[in-house]
C-alpha cells in the first residue's frame, strides 16, 4: 500500500468517526433538566412527560423593594418566581434577592441594611435548600457588615418551559456529547443499582418510582451528588436560626428550608434530628413533612431530571408558604389599610 492510500484510508476513517459522532449528537435531545445536562444523561429516558401548570406573567413580576410587603432571600429554588406567584396572586407585594448576591451570609447590620434599601415591609422569608443552609448559617454567624448594596430584579432570572419539550436537533452540543450521553444512559439503564455520571449526577432507583415520576425510565430518577456530600443539618442549626431571629426583631422572619430531592425520595431520615428540632419552633413551616406527603400524591413533585421542584411542586409549596404568611400578615397591607 502506498503512503498516499494509507493516508487516504486514515482520513476516511477519521471522517467517518466524526460524521458518526455528529449524527449521534444531532439526534440526541438537548437536555432540559439541570441534572441530565451536567450528568450527560438522556432526557428521552429521564425527562418529565407531564405538562406543567401555566402562571400568568403578571403574577411573575416582582415589586420594587420600596413598595414590597415581603422580602424573599433565596437561592435557585426562588429564581423563577413560581412559588412567590402564589403570594402575589393573593395580593401581597413581593421582592426577591439571592444569597449569592450577599456572599451567602446575612450580617449583624441586616436590619439597617434593609432600612437603607427602603424596604418598609414587615416580613422577610429566608429560603434555602437543605444542602446549603448549614454553610450559610456558619457564614452568617461570622459576618458583621453587609458588603453589597441591595439589588433586585423585577423579572425572573429564567422562564422555564411549561410544556414537555419536543424533539429538536441538538446543534449546540459538543461533538462527543451524543456518544457520552448514549454511553451514560445505557449504563444507567443496564445497572440495577445506582450509577454516577459526570461526577455530579446519580441515576438512582426509586421505590414505586413510576407512581412518583413521569419519565420513561421511571423506576429511576436523577439526584445531585452534593445532596450526599454536604452532610446533614442538626439541632444546632435550628438554634442558629433562632438566634438570628432574636437578634433581628425589626421585621418578622420565616425560615423556608426546602429539603434535598435525595432526602425526599431516597433517604428520608437525612437531617431527621434537625427536622424534629425545627418542628413546633414557629421558625417556619415543616416543608420536609410536607414534601414527603406530596411526593405520594403528585407525580413530578420534584422533576425527575432536575434537582429542583417542578413548577407544579413550586405552586404547592407556594400555597403552603401562603398559609405561613397569613399567620403573620392575615391580609395584604394594601387591602388591610
Amino acid at each position: 500500500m502506498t503512503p498516499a492510500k494509507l493516508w487516504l484510508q486514515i482520513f476516511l476513517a477519521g471522517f467517518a468517526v466524526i460524521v458518526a459522532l455528529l449524527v449521534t449528537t444531532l439526534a440526541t435531545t438537548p437536555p432540559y433538566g439541570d441534572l441530565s445536562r451536567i450528568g450527560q444523561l438522556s432526557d428521552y429516558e429521564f425527562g418529565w412527560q407531564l405538562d406543567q401548570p401555566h402562571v400568568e406573567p403578571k403574577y411573575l413580576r416582582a415589586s420594587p423593594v420600596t413598595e414590597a410587603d415581603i422580602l424573599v432571600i433565596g437561592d435557585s429554588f426562588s429564581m423563577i418566581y413560581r412559588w412567590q406567584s402564589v403570594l402575589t396572586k393573593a395580593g401581597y407585594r413581593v421582592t426577591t434577592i439571592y444569597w449569592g448576591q450577599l456572599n451567602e451570609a446575612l450580617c449583624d447590620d441586616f436590619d439597617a441594611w434593609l432600612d437603607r434599601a427602603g424596604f418598609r415591609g414587615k416580613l422577610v422569608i429566608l429560603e434555602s435548600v437543605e444542602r446549603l443552609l448549614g454553610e450559610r448559617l456558619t457564614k452568617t454567624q461570622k459576618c458583621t457588615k453587609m458588603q453589597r448594596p441591595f439589588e433586585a430584579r423585577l423579572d425572573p432570572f429564567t422562564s422555564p418551559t411549561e410544556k414537555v419539550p419536543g424533539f429538536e436537533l441538538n446543534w449546540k452540543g459538543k461533538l462527543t456529547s451524543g456518544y457520552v450521553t448514549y454511553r451514560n444512559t445505557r449504563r444507567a439503564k443496564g445497572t440495577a443499582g445506582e450509577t454516577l455520571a459526570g461526577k455530579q449526577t446519580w441515576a438512582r432507583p426509586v421505590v414505586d418510582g413510576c407512581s412518583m415520576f413521569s419519565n420513561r425510565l421511571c423506576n429511576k430518577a436523577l439526584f445531585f451528588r452534593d445532596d450526599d456530600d454536604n452532610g446533614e443539618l442538626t439541632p444546632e442549626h435550628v438554634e442558629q436560626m433562632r438566634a438570628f431571629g432574636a437578634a433581628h426583631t425589626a421585621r418578622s422572619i420565616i425560615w423556608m428550608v426546602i429539603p434535598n430531592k435525595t432526602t425526599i425520595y431516597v433517604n428520608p431520615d437525612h437531617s431527621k434530628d434537625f427536622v424534629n428540632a425545627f418542628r413546633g419552633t414557629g421558625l417556619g413551616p415543616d416543608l420536609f413533612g410536607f414534601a414527603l406527603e406530596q411526593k405520594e400524591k403528585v407525580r413530578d413533585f420534584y422533576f425527575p431530571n432536575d434537582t429542583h421542584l417542578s413548577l407544579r411542586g413550586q405552586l404547592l409549596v407556594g400555597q403552603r408558604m401562603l398559609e405561613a404568611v397569613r399567620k403573620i400578615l392575615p391580609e395584604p397591607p394594601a387591602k388591610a389599610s
Side-chain angles (χ1 to χ4, degrees):
M1 179 182 299
T2 65
K5 287 185 177 180
L6 177 61
W7 280 111
L8 179 60
Q9 287 184 348
I10 293 173
F11 170 79
L12 291 175
F15 181 75
V17 169
I18 291 172
V19 170
L21 290 172
L22 177 61
V23 170
T24 302
T25 294
L26 287 174
T28 301
T29 302
Y32 54 93
D34 61 359
L35 292 176
S36 51
R37 174 180 52 80
I38 65 176
Q40 291 189 268
L41 287 148
S42 171
D43 267 337
Y44 180 83
E45 298 292 352
F46 288 103
W48 45 277
Q49 298 297 305
L50 297 175
D51 287 343
Q52 298 298 304
H54 175 70
V55 176
E56 294 182 43
K58 65 180 179 180
Y59 299 126
L60 296 172
R61 187 168 176 81
S63 296
V65 63
T66 55
E67 300 174 10
D69 308 314
I70 300 170
L71 167 65
V72 174
I73 299 177
D75 49 33
S76 58
F77 283 80
S78 296
M79 284 186 169
I80 59 175
Y81 291 10
R82 280 310 199 277
W83 73 261
Q84 298 98 307
S85 72
V86 180
L87 306 185
T88 302
K89 193 172 183 178
Y92 295 93
R93 296 168 297 188
V94 183
T95 193
T96 301
I97 58 174
Y98 307 101
W99 289 94
Q101 295 174 267
L102 310 177
N103 297 323
E104 304 291 332
L106 306 177
C107 308
D108 293 345
D109 65 339
F110 179 66
D111 289 330
W113 180 75
L114 290 181
D115 290 339
R116 291 194 299 272
F119 177 58
R120 296 187 294 271
K122 300 301 182 183
L123 177 60
V124 176
I125 298 176
L126 302 179
E127 179 271 308
S128 176
V129 68
E130 174 190 352
R131 65 175 173 270
L132 296 176
L133 179 58
E135 176 186 352
R136 287 165 175 162
L137 287 169
T138 297
K139 290 183 176 180
T140 291
Q141 283 190 306
K142 299 175 181 178
C143 188
T144 58
K145 185 176 178 58
M146 303 289 289
Q147 298 295 325
R148 298 187 182 181
F150 188 103
E151 294 182 6
R153 297 169 57 110
L154 298 181
D155 297 312
F157 263 76
T158 60
S159 297
T161 180
E162 297 170 349
K163 299 292 184 181
V164 178
F167 174 77
E168 61 178 285
L169 294 176
N170 187 8
W171 292 103
K172 295 182 179 180
K174 295 181 180 179
L175 182 63
T176 58
S177 64
Y179 168 72
V180 174
T181 298
Y182 167 79
R183 182 192 63 192
N184 290 346
T185 304
R186 182 179 180 184
R187 181 165 167 256
K189 292 179 68 175
T191 304
E194 62 186 18
T195 57
L196 183 65
K199 298 183 180 180
Q200 289 293 323
T201 300
W202 285 109
R204 281 175 163 155
V206 177
V207 177
D208 296 327
C210 292
S211 68
M212 299 180 191
F213 293 113
S214 68
N215 57 305
R216 291 182 176 89
L217 191 66
C218 54
N219 64 321
K220 287 190 173 184
L222 304 183
F223 299 89
F224 195 29
R225 184 175 179 176
D226 282 4
D227 287 357
D228 306 322
D229 294 348
N230 284 17
E232 297 189 37
L233 294 174
T234 68
E236 181 182 356
H237 292 120
V238 176
E239 291 308 311
Q240 292 171 359
M241 296 158 74
R242 195 197 307 271
F244 180 83
H248 301 279
T249 57
R251 301 162 182 88
S252 297
I253 293 175
I254 294 177
W255 288 88
M256 180 183 177
V257 186
I258 297 182
N260 298 336
K261 180 181 176 183
T262 305
T263 299
I264 298 307
Y265 292 95
V266 178
N267 185 12
D269 286 337
H270 197 258
S271 297
K272 67 177 181 179
D273 292 337
F274 166 85
V275 175
N276 289 335
F278 182 79
R279 286 174 179 156
T281 61
L283 294 172
D286 171 20
L287 296 182
F288 286 74
F290 179 75
L292 287 171
E293 292 173 359
Q294 294 302 315
K295 76 168 185 179
E296 303 284 350
K297 300 176 181 179
V298 179
R299 290 181 83 196
D300 299 343
F301 182 67
Y302 286 70
F303 280 130
N305 59 345
D306 202 296
T307 193
H308 296 95
L309 295 159
S310 68
L311 305 190
R312 183 172 288 103
Q314 285 255 345
L315 295 181
L316 289 168
V317 167
Q319 190 63 44
R320 182 65 187 86
M321 292 307 301
L322 177 61
E323 296 171 10
V325 165
R326 282 178 168 160
K327 293 178 180 179
I328 298 171
L329 300 176
E331 290 289 339
K335 289 185 178 180
S337 59

